[in-house]
Amino acid sequence: MPLTMKNYCTIYLVRHGETEWNEKKIVQGQTDIPLNKKGEGQAKELAEKLTHVKFDAVFSSDLIRAKRSAEIIILEKKLAVITTNALRERMFGRFEGKHINKLRKAFGELLLIEKQDYEVESDDKILLRLNPFLREVAVAYPGKNVLMVTHGGLLRAFLSHVGFKIPEYLDRPMKNTGYLIIESDGVEFEIKEERLFQKISNF
């Protein structure tokens, strides 16, 4: 439902920059892996793209790859990064530290899974921590811009929740430092812009 209130909060939901495990296609989950050099560069590039946006608050997952991405993105804006486990990545249990193909073999299409393993955190559990946090921030910052740096699994859970058609991973994987712009009045969410998924050329 389109939002009509003028005091909605605009939230930039950003995926963190690349890590060595991203590059090697290893499942990270809640394992605390730092950015690699490319990931730091991606965060700097996004900072330049968002230089025109006046952020009033910055939140990130408490995992270092997200926190460091947030610090780089808002370096020139001189804002403190507030960390929270509400934005932490999905827990992948025994699959963390293993190649992505292990997940594909176990569940089918990566991250578009009917959860069959209780070690893997479900979308419902993610939304129990994510949605109240998003709503709390939206109510606290009406008419403001807020940056949140988080993770791919969490972003997919949110997109599924709001009815967004998620591209298949092999066709359009999610970009590091890709982002969503959403508006919220503390109750409803509306996606205003999606720059999360990259296109794979067959040529």
Side-chain angles (χ1 to χ4, degrees):
M1 177 183 300
L3 301 178
T4 58
M5 296 175 62
K6 294 182 179 180
N7 63 339
Y8 55 71
C9 178
T10 301
I11 300 173
Y12 289 69
L13 273 174
V14 178
R15 188 189 181 200
H16 61 81
E18 186 184 86
T19 70
E20 182 181 355
W21 281 21
N22 285 147
E23 183 182 12
K24 294 180 178 178
K25 296 185 171 20
I26 295 173
V27 177
Q28 292 176 115
Q30 297 186 0
T31 306
D32 209 3
I33 307 300
L35 297 179
N36 60 19
K37 291 295 184 184
K38 182 178 178 181
E40 291 180 356
Q42 290 169 332
K44 290 176 183 176
E45 289 176 5
L46 184 57
E48 291 178 4
K49 290 179 182 177
L50 300 180
T51 189
H52 64 287
V53 181
K54 180 186 180 299
F55 289 112
D56 297 281
V58 182
F59 299 89
S60 88
S61 158
D62 56 353
L63 297 176
I64 189 64
R65 58 190 183 270
K67 182 174 184 288
R68 182 59 183 146
S69 297
E71 289 171 343
I72 294 170
I73 293 167
I74 54 88
L75 181 62
E76 298 300 322
K77 299 181 186 294
K78 296 179 173 59
L79 291 170
V81 177
I82 303 169
T83 59
T84 173
N85 60 13
L87 295 172
R88 184 183 286 193
E89 175 64 296
R90 186 193 305 271
M91 181 181 67
F92 282 99
R94 63 192 172 95
F95 294 101
E96 293 185 18
K98 297 182 180 179
H99 196 274
I100 268 173
N101 286 340
K102 296 284 187 180
L103 265 183
R104 288 202 185 109
K105 185 175 181 180
F107 294 119
E109 178 58 42
L110 177 66
L111 297 184
L112 304 179
I113 54 182
E114 294 294 329
K115 307 299 186 300
Q116 303 169 32
D117 191 307
Y118 291 110
E119 291 186 44
V120 178
E121 188 176 13
S122 69
D123 283 4
D124 286 344
K125 286 184 178 179
I126 288 174
L127 294 169
L128 280 175
R129 56 184 166 92
L130 174 62
N131 281 354
F133 177 72
L134 291 176
R135 291 190 169 105
E136 178 183 327
V137 169
V139 169
Y141 293 92
K144 306 293 186 181
N145 295 313
V146 175
L147 175 68
M148 295 186 186
V149 183
T150 184
H151 305 266
L154 183 142
L155 286 163
R156 285 178 178 271
F158 175 77
L159 287 171
S160 178
H161 172 66
V162 298
F164 184 89
K165 183 174 174 55
I166 302 172
E168 289 190 3
Y169 180 82
L170 293 178
D171 292 334
R172 295 186 65 195
M174 190 178 290
K175 297 184 290 188
N176 287 104
T177 62
Y179 62 91
L180 289 175
I181 302 176
I182 65 174
E183 292 178 348
S184 179
D185 58 2
V187 179
E188 302 288 342
F189 300 107
E190 181 180 354
I191 297 175
K192 302 299 293 184
E193 188 173 342
E194 177 271 302
R195 295 193 179 185
L196 268 178
F197 298 99
Q198 59 187 347
K199 294 181 179 179
I200 300 299
S201 174
N202 294 321
F203 301 98

